[in-house]
């Protein structure tokens, strides 16, 4: 028998495949098309991405750039994937094999299988199109049947290619208590990278979202823009590379920093999904697309209303006992909140959690502060008609804890190096299945012993440094990836048993804000900075990517120069809550707050489920104005926040958006402080939607204090 060397066989297979012309692979939503073509050499090319095009135009498309660029072959730019084979060959050649699509309602998934003609490696590009929401995702599934593990040094979720004259990138950066500062700049030739190497608390410095605007900066309503993110609660990387011909490649994925991955034969490496939406109507439309997608698909209980809660953190910090908490329940009842949330400081006996130096890891109620345990608190709050929730930080330990003493091998720390603390604590080695069981049991035991427990706040107060996993041993380069996978394993177990329980995601403020996590969580804590004025900017920043029902916003005593009304109006643009000593409130403050909570519950369906329009940016004017409109365009809520009172300010009319031009709307200023009346010339006026959207409202702020207004705009 004549034996063909592998290479010859491979070439023959290629020639056979070349003979078949594969029709364009179309991935499309209501308004956008992504078209992939298979080239003569069987490489898969991105031929088009943008405004939806018809079949005739699609048929005329040819060429393009490789959809998932590999390293080691002809490509000289940043690759999507780089693999080193068993024989040391550092190249990958991916050729089209087949593709298939599945439809589930309005969601269409497409799998494109590619194989290396020489090495037994296969890569599937898995696309999802949420057609109604105009949102796409791409993830990659990598497998091989070589004899021993192959090494992956780059494993992006996907790539997008663009051809424009200019590219404008909007990013959001920050730090503790000053999250999501927006910056827009023109990309220049070379590589710009937005990334995190923090492991846990990943978004501490860089939020994992971007807008990419083509040809010119886009504004709220005009301009072609792409909003992108990665569903991954760990190190991420977005690179934007402009080549010598001014073409842009955007690569999104897990940050491969210190993370060479040794993929065993027949093991499957599935990347997280990169998610993106396309808009020809600027950032506002892109945000609304993501908000709808988030509520419909990406966030836990996305369509359900959130509870108004009273949290005790800023009211007591760790200094409380059971009597003080019961007093707070009474205060919460007086205000009319739905739930009391007990924060940090309730646990630890040998190492009582009286500050942030001790006790983390010892999850039993402190007997001095809470002699009757958590069950008593659940009962007492329920007696007052309140649900009860509790704070946990399950992934961490203080060295001063029983946990640390009992299980020194459960801690991420480098051998032969000093421990390095963040907020006096260390990260647990979640890659260890025993630690995963421990973390699951913290939640499960609490919920089993206290079936009335109705809410959890899941905190994570440090990032990884000097990290080494005793469990992973020689596979240290898998640590960052395995940590996040392990977190998801624990959260999956929790969600199998407690599918609906509301849980707030927190990471010392907004250190973890990504859609990889949000499928397990109902809301997130955006910042420990709860000053009303600062929160206008912070919540504005998050509003680009997250719907209002996910953004926890609490009225606190920070921002003392702002009125209680201002701080309340700011918190109402998200999921309203309180974190304040209400025993210092005047009777008018109590009256105002309990009315505000009633008002919020009445209007929150519009805020939490409606379409959001950012009308005046606080980055451009000394005020912020935004509105939410319900699906039927019969009800709308408008917020205005004055940020910097200056004599120079001259404010013009604000044109509303999203209304029905033919409907007649009545404007009413609501949420007024007791004893005050609306000073707005627009209060109680009626206008058509057309008038409101073309001429607009005269709601110019007056005076020299930071003031705010809430208007209800109802169709008659
Ligand atoms: C950081 C969070 O952001 C705060 O809200 C609070 O829960 C503290 N941790 C408690 O330690």
């Amino acid at each position: 028998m004549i034996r063909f060397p592998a290479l010859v066989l491979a070439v023959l297979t290629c020639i056979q495949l070349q003979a078949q012309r594969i029709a364009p692979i179309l991935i499309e939503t209501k308004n956008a098309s992504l078209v992939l073509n298979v080239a003569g050499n069987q490489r898969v090319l991105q031929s088009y991405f943008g405004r939806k095009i018809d079949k005739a135009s699609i048929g005329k498309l040819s060429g393009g750039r490789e959809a998932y660029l590999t390293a080691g072959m002809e490509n000289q730019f940043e690759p999507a994937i780089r693999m080193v084979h068993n024989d040391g060959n550092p190249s990958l050649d991916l050729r089209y094999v087949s593709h298939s699509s599945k439809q589930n309602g309005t969601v269409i998934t497409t799998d494109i299988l590619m194989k290396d003609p020489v090495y037994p490696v296969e890569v599937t590009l898995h696309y999802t199109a949420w057609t109604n929401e105009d949102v796409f995702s791409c993830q990659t599934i990598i497998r091989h049947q070589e004899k021993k593990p192959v090494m992956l040094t780059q494993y992006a979720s996907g790539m997008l290619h663009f051809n424009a004259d200019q590219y404008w990138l909007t990013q959001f950066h920050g730090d503790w208590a000053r999250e999501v500062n927006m910056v827009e700049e023109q990309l220049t030739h070379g590589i710009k990278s937005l990334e995190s190497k923090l492991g846990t608390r990943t978004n501490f410095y860089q939020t994992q979202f971007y807008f990419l605007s083509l040809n010119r900066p886009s504004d709220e309503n005009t301009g072609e823009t792409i909003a992108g993110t990665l569903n991954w609660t760990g190190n991420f990387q977005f690179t934007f590379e402009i080549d010598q011909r001014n073409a842009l490649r955007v690569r999104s994925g897990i940050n491969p920093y210190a993370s060479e991955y040794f993929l065993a034969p027949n093991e499957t490496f599935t990347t997280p999904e990169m998610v993106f939406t396309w808009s020809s109507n600027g950032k506002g439309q892109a945000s609304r697309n993501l908000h709808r997608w988030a509520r419909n698909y990406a966030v836990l209980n996305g369509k359900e209303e959130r509870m108004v809660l009273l949290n005790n953190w800023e009211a007591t910090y760790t200094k409380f006992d059971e009597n003080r908490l019961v007093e707070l329940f009474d205060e919460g009842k007086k205000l009319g909140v739905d739930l009391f949330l007990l924060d940090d400081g309730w646990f630890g006996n040998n190492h009582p959690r009286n500050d942030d130096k001790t006790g983390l890891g010892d999850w039993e109620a402190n007997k001095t502060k809470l002699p009757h345990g958590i069950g008593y608190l659940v009962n007492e709050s329920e007696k007052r008609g309140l649900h009860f929730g509790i704070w946990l930080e399950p992934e961490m330990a203080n060295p001063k804890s029983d946990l640390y003493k009992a299980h020194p091998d459960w801690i991420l720390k480098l051998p032969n190096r000093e421990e390095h603390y963040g907020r006096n604590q260390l990260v647990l080695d979640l890659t260890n299945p025993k630690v995963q069981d421990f973390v699951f049991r913290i939640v499960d035991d609490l919920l089993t012993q206290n079936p009335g427990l109705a809410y959890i706040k899941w905190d994570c107060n440090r990032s990884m440094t000097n990290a080494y996993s005793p469990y992973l041993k020689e596979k240290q380069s898998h640590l960052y990836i395995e940590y996040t996978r392990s977190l998801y394993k624990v959260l999956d177990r929790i969600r199998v048993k407690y599918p609906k329980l509301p849980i707030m995601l927190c990471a010392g403020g907004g250190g973890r804000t990504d859609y990889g996590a949000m499928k397990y969580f109902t809301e997130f804590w955006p910042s420990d900075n709860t000053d009303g004025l600062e929160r206008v900017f912070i919540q504005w920043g998050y509003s680009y990517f997250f719907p209002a029902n996910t953004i926890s916003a609490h009225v606190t005593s920070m921002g003392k120069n702002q009125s209680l009304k201002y701080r309340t109006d700011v918190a109402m643009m998200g999921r309203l809550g309180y974190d304040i000593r209400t025993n210092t409130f005047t009777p008018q403050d109590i009256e105002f707050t309990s009315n505000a909570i009633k008002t919020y519950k009445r209007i929150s369906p519009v805020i939490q489920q409606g379409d959001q329009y950012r009308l005046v940016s606080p980055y451009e004017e000394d005020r912020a104005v935004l509105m939410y409109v319900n699906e039927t365009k019969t009800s709308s809520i408008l917020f205005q926040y004055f940020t910097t009172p200056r004599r120079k300010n001259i404010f013009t009319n604000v044109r509303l958006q999203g209304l029905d031009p033919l409907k007649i709307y009545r404007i009413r200023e609501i949420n007024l402080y007791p004893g005050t009346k609306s000073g707005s010339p627009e209060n109680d006026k009626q206008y058509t939607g057309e008038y409101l959207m073309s001429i607009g409202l005269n709601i110019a702020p007056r005076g020299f204090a930071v003031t705010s207004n809430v208007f209800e705009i109802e169709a008659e």
Side-chain angles (χ1 to χ4, degrees):
M1 190 172 95
I2 305 165
R3 297 181 78 102
F4 284 101
L7 196 64
V8 176
L9 265 179
V11 170
L12 283 177
T13 318
C14 276
I15 292 168
Q16 268 169 11
L17 284 172
Q18 271 176 32
Q20 313 153 13
R21 161 96 170 98
I22 312 290
I25 305 168
L26 184 59
I27 295 153
E28 59 181 6
T29 60
K30 213 162 52 181
N31 294 299
S33 306
L34 173 65
V35 183
L36 304 169
N37 265 306
V38 179
N41 62 2
Q42 308 302 311
R43 294 272 175 83
V44 178
L45 310 178
Q46 179 193 313
S47 298
Y48 177 81
F49 177 49
R51 179 186 303 282
K52 193 160 184 172
I53 49 172
D54 60 19
K55 292 236 152 47
S57 311
I58 292 168
K60 293 207 168 86
L61 287 169
S62 66
R65 286 197 195 79
E66 230 174 303
Y68 197 68
L69 275 170
T70 66
M73 303 296 288
E74 323 76 59
N75 166 44
Q76 293 176 315
F77 295 90
E78 282 293 300
I81 185 166
R82 181 170 180 273
M83 182 181 282
V84 181
H85 300 276
N86 283 193
D87 61 2
N89 188 320
S91 68
L92 190 63
D93 183 4
L94 292 179
R95 309 283 177 128
Y96 172 89
V97 176
S98 62
H99 76 277
S100 60
S101 290
K102 276 194 204 120
Q103 180 152 5
N104 182 1
T106 56
V107 185
I108 303 171
T109 53
T110 305
D111 283 330
I112 304 171
L113 175 65
M114 300 178 295
K115 284 189 179 167
D116 190 305
V118 175
Y119 288 88
V121 177
E122 60 180 62
V123 170
T124 303
L125 298 179
H126 176 78
Y127 290 92
T128 304
W130 289 270
T131 55
N132 277 354
E133 291 76 13
D134 269 324
V135 173
F136 298 83
S137 78
C138 178
Q139 70 186 141
T140 303
I141 299 141
I142 306 164
R143 263 186 294 256
H144 74 93
Q145 286 89 35
E146 296 193 17
K147 293 220 165 52
K148 287 188 283 178
V150 299
M151 183 171 74
L152 284 163
T153 64
Q154 179 62 262
Y155 29 78
S157 298
M159 280 189 122
L160 287 172
H161 298 270
F162 299 94
N163 276 311
D165 294 332
Q166 295 177 4
Y167 306 101
W168 290 80
L169 180 70
T170 306
Q171 69 182 95
F172 298 81
H173 68 94
D175 196 350
W176 180 77
R178 49 183 206 88
E179 289 84 350
V180 287
N181 301 286
M182 180 168 67
V183 179
E184 183 163 33
E185 63 178 3
Q186 187 176 357
L187 288 173
T188 52
H189 286 250
I191 300 177
K192 165 93 182 177
S193 179
L194 301 180
E195 56 178 54
S196 164
K197 300 188 181 84
L198 302 181
T200 44
R201 212 188 189 188
T202 335
N203 309 130
F204 202 23
Y205 305 139
Q206 195 67 250
T207 308
Q208 68 202 64
F209 293 96
Y210 66 84
F211 284 109
L212 173 73
S213 299
L214 305 181
N215 299 311
R216 64 172 181 82
S218 59
D219 54 30
E220 279 295 309
N221 298 310
T222 63
E224 187 174 355
T225 192
I226 288 91
T229 185
L230 184 77
N231 291 1
W232 183 245
T233 316
N235 293 350
F236 64 89
Q237 188 185 52
F238 305 125
T239 56
F240 302 84
E241 184 173 26
I242 301 184
D243 69 16
Q244 78 289 3
R245 301 184 68 81
N246 208 45
L248 173 70
R249 295 159 172 77
V250 181
R251 179 183 63 178
S252 309
I254 296 174
N255 190 346
Y257 164 75
S259 298
E260 298 82 30
Y261 195 90
F262 297 91
L263 184 68
N266 294 314
E267 184 190 340
T268 302
F269 186 98
T270 306
T271 72
E273 291 169 295
M274 75 173 199
V275 171
F276 52 103
T277 183
W278 176 89
S279 154
S280 59
N281 301 318
K283 295 181 179 116
Q285 185 62 56
S287 297
R288 285 187 291 281
N289 293 350
L290 288 176
H291 292 172
R292 274 178 184 259
W293 166 79
R295 287 191 301 254
N296 290 341
Y297 300 102
V299 170
L300 190 82
N301 307 342
K303 302 292 278 180
E304 282 165 33
E305 229 175 286
R306 305 307 193 228
M307 289 186 273
V308 175
L309 58 87
L310 174 63
N311 189 190
N312 70 313
W313 178 241
E314 288 186 36
T316 64
Y317 295 102
T318 53
K319 316 251 169 315
F320 57 81
D321 60 16
E322 123 190 320
N323 296 331
R324 177 68 187 119
L325 293 179
V326 173
E327 278 170 25
L328 286 171
F329 299 165
D330 286 327
E331 290 172 28
K333 183 182 176 191
K334 221 187 299 172
L335 299 182
V337 301
D338 301 305
L339 178 128
F340 180 85
L341 170 60
L342 173 59
D343 214 286
D344 194 356
W346 60 268
F347 49 89
N349 281 301
N350 291 331
H351 305 278
R353 179 75 169 175
N354 291 328
D355 54 33
D356 60 17
K357 295 186 180 61
T358 59
L360 210 51
D362 300 348
W363 298 105
E364 71 282 342
N366 178 277
K367 293 198 171 76
T368 313
K369 286 183 192 173
L370 307 177
H372 299 96
I374 299 298
Y376 168 80
L377 296 174
V378 176
N379 285 340
E380 287 304 306
S381 62
E382 281 179 349
K383 272 189 212 160
R384 289 159 179 83
L386 304 186
H387 295 292
F388 184 83
I390 203 158
W391 178 96
L392 293 170
E393 193 177 359
E395 299 159 71
M396 305 281 162
N398 285 127
K400 285 189 187 144
S401 66
D402 291 343
L403 178 71
Y404 179 92
K405 292 209 175 76
H407 299 287
D409 56 327
W410 283 13
I411 309 285
L412 290 182
K413 59 173 184 175
L414 276 172
N416 310 321
R417 301 280 179 204
E418 274 185 24
E419 286 178 353
H420 182 254
Y421 307 117
R423 207 197 194 203
N424 311 301
Q425 66 196 50
L426 294 155
V427 184
L428 294 182
D429 185 2
L430 205 54
T431 66
N432 183 337
K434 286 188 185 143
V435 177
Q436 293 166 23
D437 284 345
F438 169 78
V439 172
F440 172 75
R441 274 202 315 274
I442 297 168
V443 177
D444 192 35
D445 287 352
L446 264 170
L447 287 163
T448 317
Q449 287 155 20
N450 307 286
L453 208 62
Y455 186 94
I456 284 174
K457 175 175 177 184
W458 181 299
D459 209 343
C460 166
N461 278 291
R462 68 157 296 177
S463 51
M464 287 185 195
T465 52
N466 296 16
Y468 175 96
S469 157
Y471 180 77
L472 289 176
K473 300 195 177 70
E474 73 286 351
K475 284 197 176 165
Q476 290 306 312
S477 65
H478 289 202
L479 173 57
Y480 287 122
I481 293 175
E482 284 307 332
Y483 188 93
T484 304
R485 287 178 174 170
S486 307
L487 176 65
Y488 292 160
K489 272 189 207 157
V490 175
L491 291 169
D492 277 329
R493 273 175 81 182
I494 293 172
R495 282 308 176 196
V496 167
K497 192 151 176 200
Y498 307 101
K500 288 282 193 184
L501 182 83
I503 310 187
M504 183 207 287
L505 176 60
C506 175
R512 258 184 185 170
T513 49
D514 69 89
Y515 279 116
M518 287 310 289
K519 77 178 210 213
Y520 303 102
F521 293 87
T522 44
E523 52 210 86
F524 67 89
W525 185 235
S527 179
D528 281 348
N529 188 342
T530 50
D531 175 301
L533 187 56
E534 304 274 3
R535 273 297 186 113
V536 169
F537 289 86
I538 292 171
Q539 293 168 197
W540 187 270
Y542 284 114
S543 84
Y544 284 100
F545 297 95
F546 291 102
N549 65 347
T550 61
I551 304 176
S552 308
H554 293 181
V555 179
T556 73
S557 49
M558 272 194 213
K560 287 224 170 62
N561 57 338
Q562 303 142 21
S563 66
L564 178 62
K565 170 175 163 55
Y566 188 88
R567 287 173 283 145
T568 307
D569 287 353
V570 173
M572 276 186 165
M573 80 182 250
R575 194 278 287 134
L576 176 68
Y578 290 82
D579 198 344
I580 192 165
R581 283 186 209 140
T582 52
N583 58 359
T584 60
F585 274 19
T586 64
Q588 284 93 338
D589 288 345
I590 300 275
E591 186 188 338
F592 169 73
T593 303
S594 62
N595 284 337
I597 292 173
K598 283 193 202 102
T599 304
Y600 182 76
K601 288 189 176 177
R602 184 171 61 75
I603 63 178
S604 62
V606 181
I607 297 168
Q608 295 187 6
Q609 298 293 329
D611 274 332
Q612 185 198 59
Y613 295 86
R614 289 178 295 261
L615 304 177
V616 180
S617 167
Y619 283 84
E620 286 161 17
E621 275 191 29
D622 288 327
R623 64 172 166 173
V625 187
L626 75 163
M627 68 188 283
Y628 301 88
V629 185
N630 70 351
E631 189 88 41
T632 53
K633 299 178 187 290
T634 51
S635 191
S636 162
I637 304 296
L638 181 142
F639 293 99
Q640 169 171 252
Y641 309 110
F642 199 3
T643 55
T644 326
R646 301 260 325 264
R647 204 168 278 281
K648 76 165 179 71
N649 284 323
I650 297 167
F651 295 112
T652 51
N653 274 11
V654 177
R655 289 186 194 162
L656 310 198
Q657 290 177 36
L659 301 176
D660 180 342
L662 300 178
K663 284 193 165 66
I664 296 171
Y665 294 90
R666 181 179 293 277
I667 318 296
R668 266 192 325 126
E669 181 163 10
I670 58 171
N671 213 34
L672 294 161
Y673 196 77
T676 62
K677 285 204 184 106
S678 171
S680 169
E682 305 288 16
N683 187 39
D684 228 16
K685 295 259 174 71
Q686 279 176 293
Y687 299 105
T688 60
E690 182 181 272
Y691 178 98
L692 291 169
M693 294 192 288
S694 312
I695 297 164
L697 287 177
N698 168 19
I699 50 170
R702 290 180 199 125
F704 290 95
V706 288
T707 52
S708 55
N709 314 88
V710 186
F711 292 97
E712 189 168 16
I713 300 161
E714 289 281 296
E716 294 282 81

